[in-house]
């Protein structure tokens, strides 16, 4: 009787061990099969979008940080409390790993707050189609500041950036033009920066326009005509002085009594600004 009981226990142990072995073998086979199936179907990462404009500036982080430190430490040391690392991270967060046609003003709001600073009264210079002349002027004459002479504009001037949903989250090959989509990183950034620059203006402001353009010196579709002019505060700005510039030896397509300047004056008068114009 004791021998039969021992034999029964041995059989039970053997069956139990066999069951465990079969279960382990099944688990190993399942893992191996899953691994084979996974490796047999390589992951397909989304392709980088292709656009018509130039891609993100190479070494963008170093460019932005270098310009920021140069601005707050060398050019305007009174702004030395600005945190350039936070400013860069805020810019990066606004566009990296995002569809470059779905950028919003909310994406840039933290950056605008971090980089904003006061603009002295009587120093604001707005421009349209006079980019090179306006900046050569402010470079030699410290009495005026364009948007590109502020911290935001100085960091971003002639720099390009956009994101992408695929790795590494930044598109260095191409970025969308405004004609491809309105809400691209560059357009949204400059619209917000221009709005903030206009809101900060006070005293007498200057506007430099190109009087040698046949289409007209003032264009309602320009950044100045569609954004800056409507964000000047009549309670802070005492007068708007228009400088109508002409190419030396070139055509004088428009004067201060021209059709587009009359349109500009009408808009400014409706907003209760005092206006002067000089050819």
């Amino acid at each position: 009787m004791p021998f039969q009981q021992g034999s029964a226990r041995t059989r039970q142990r053997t069956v139990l061990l066999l069951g465990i072995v079969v279960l382990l073998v099944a688990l190993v086979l399942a893992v191996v099969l899953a691994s084979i199936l996974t490796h047999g179907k390589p992951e397909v990462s989304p392709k980088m979008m292709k656009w018509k404009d130039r891609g993100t500036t190479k070494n963008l982080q170093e460019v932005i940080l270098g310009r920021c430190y140069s601005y707050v430490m060398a050019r305007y040391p009174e702004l030395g409390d600005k945190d350039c690392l936070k400013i860069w991270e805020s810019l990066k967060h606004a566009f990296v790993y995002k569809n470059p046609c779905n950028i919003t003003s909310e994406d840039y709001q933290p950056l605008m707050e971090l980089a904003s600073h006061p603009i002295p009264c009587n120093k604001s210079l707005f421009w349209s189609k006079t980019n090179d002349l306006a900046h050569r002027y402010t470079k030699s004459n410290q009495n005026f500041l364009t948007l590109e002479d502020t911290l935001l504009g100085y960091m971003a001037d002639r720099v390009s950036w956009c994101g992408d949903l695929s790795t590494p989250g930044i598109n260095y090959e191409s970025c969308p033009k405004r004609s491809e989509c309105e809400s691209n990183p560059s357009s949204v950034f400059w619209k917000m920066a221009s709005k903030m620059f206009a809101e900060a203006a006070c005293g007498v402001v200057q506007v430099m326009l190109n009087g040698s353009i046949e289409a007209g010196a003032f264009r309602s579709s320009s950044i100045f005509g569609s954004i800056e002019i409507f964000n000047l505060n009549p309670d802070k700005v005492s007068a708007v002085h228009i400088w109508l510039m002409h190419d030396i030896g070139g055509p004088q397509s428009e004067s201060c009594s021209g059709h587009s300047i009359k349109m500009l004056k009408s808009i400014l008068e409706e907003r209760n600004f005092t206006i002067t114009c000089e050819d």
Side-chain angles (χ1 to χ4, degrees):
M1 199 67 160
F3 175 77
Q4 290 178 349
Q5 288 177 349
S7 178
R9 288 195 188 108
T10 300
R11 284 197 298 273
Q12 287 175 353
R13 287 174 185 163
T14 302
V15 170
L16 182 60
L17 285 170
L18 283 171
I20 292 171
V21 169
V22 170
L23 182 60
L24 287 173
V25 170
L27 285 171
V28 170
L29 286 172
V31 170
V32 171
L33 184 61
S35 178
I36 291 171
L37 290 172
T38 302
H39 289 295
K41 296 180 179 179
E43 291 184 8
V44 179
S45 59
K47 289 184 178 180
M48 192 77 71
M49 295 181 183
K50 291 185 179 180
W51 307 100
K52 295 179 180 178
D53 211 351
R54 61 183 175 137
T56 300
T57 301
K58 304 297 182 186
N59 303 311
L60 179 66
Q61 178 176 347
E62 289 77 11
V63 171
I64 296 297
L65 284 174
R67 289 183 176 187
C68 182
Y69 285 126
S70 172
Y71 193 92
V72 303
M73 296 179 73
R75 297 187 63 173
Y76 297 96
E78 63 270 24
L79 299 177
D81 60 339
K82 294 294 182 184
D83 190 327
C84 290
L85 281 172
K86 279 187 179 180
I87 287 172
W88 158 249
E89 289 297 330
S90 183
L91 171 61
K92 179 181 174 183
H93 183 72
F95 74 95
V96 170
Y97 279 111
K98 293 181 181 179
N99 185 322
C101 281
N102 291 336
I103 302 301
T104 66
S105 56
E106 286 75 19
D107 292 322
Y108 282 119
Q109 192 57 44
L111 171 65
M112 298 293 151
E113 293 173 1
L114 283 171
S116 66
H117 57 84
I119 306 297
C121 288
N122 306 311
K123 278 204 165 191
S124 299
L125 171 59
F126 298 88
W127 60 271
S128 184
K129 292 293 183 180
T130 54
N131 189 338
D132 184 55
L133 179 61
H135 295 113
R136 277 192 289 142
Y137 186 77
T138 57
K139 190 174 181 179
S140 62
N141 187 335
Q142 302 300 314
N143 290 326
F144 299 104
L145 293 171
T146 65
L147 171 57
E148 291 75 18
D149 295 312
T150 66
L151 175 56
L152 272 171
Y154 183 75
M155 290 189 299
D157 190 27
R158 303 179 193 276
V159 172
S160 175
W161 65 84
C162 68
D164 197 272
L165 298 176
S166 63
T167 304
I170 299 177
N171 193 334
Y172 289 100
E173 301 302 321
S174 63
C175 289
K177 284 187 172 183
R178 187 177 176 182
S179 58
E180 293 179 279
C181 57
E182 188 78 19
S183 298
N184 65 73
S186 179
S187 293
V188 176
F189 171 86
W190 285 111
K191 284 180 181 179
M192 288 193 71
S194 297
K195 178 177 181 289
M196 192 165 72
F197 183 60
E199 289 173 340
C202 57
V204 179
V205 303
Q206 317 294 327
V207 181
M208 187 183 288
L209 302 177
N210 191 334
S212 293
I213 295 179
E214 289 186 10
F218 172 70
R219 298 171 302 121
S220 58
S221 60
S222 67
I223 290 288
F224 173 69
S226 62
I227 295 174
E228 291 170 335
I229 192 174
F230 295 106
N231 283 285
L232 294 172
N233 187 342
D235 294 328
K236 292 168 58 179
V237 175
S238 58
V240 177
H241 185 192
I242 304 167
W243 298 348
L244 197 55
M245 316 304 289
H246 305 283
D247 293 337
I248 296 174
Q252 185 172 328
S253 300
E254 189 165 17
S255 67
C256 283
S257 57
H259 67 285
S260 78
I261 298 300
K262 285 182 179 178
M263 186 192 308
L264 171 58
K265 288 178 177 178
S266 175
I267 295 171
L268 291 170
E269 286 168 355
E270 285 180 9
R271 303 198 66 231
N272 298 319
F273 290 111
T274 300
I275 311 149
T276 58
C277 182
E278 184 177 353
D279 280 313

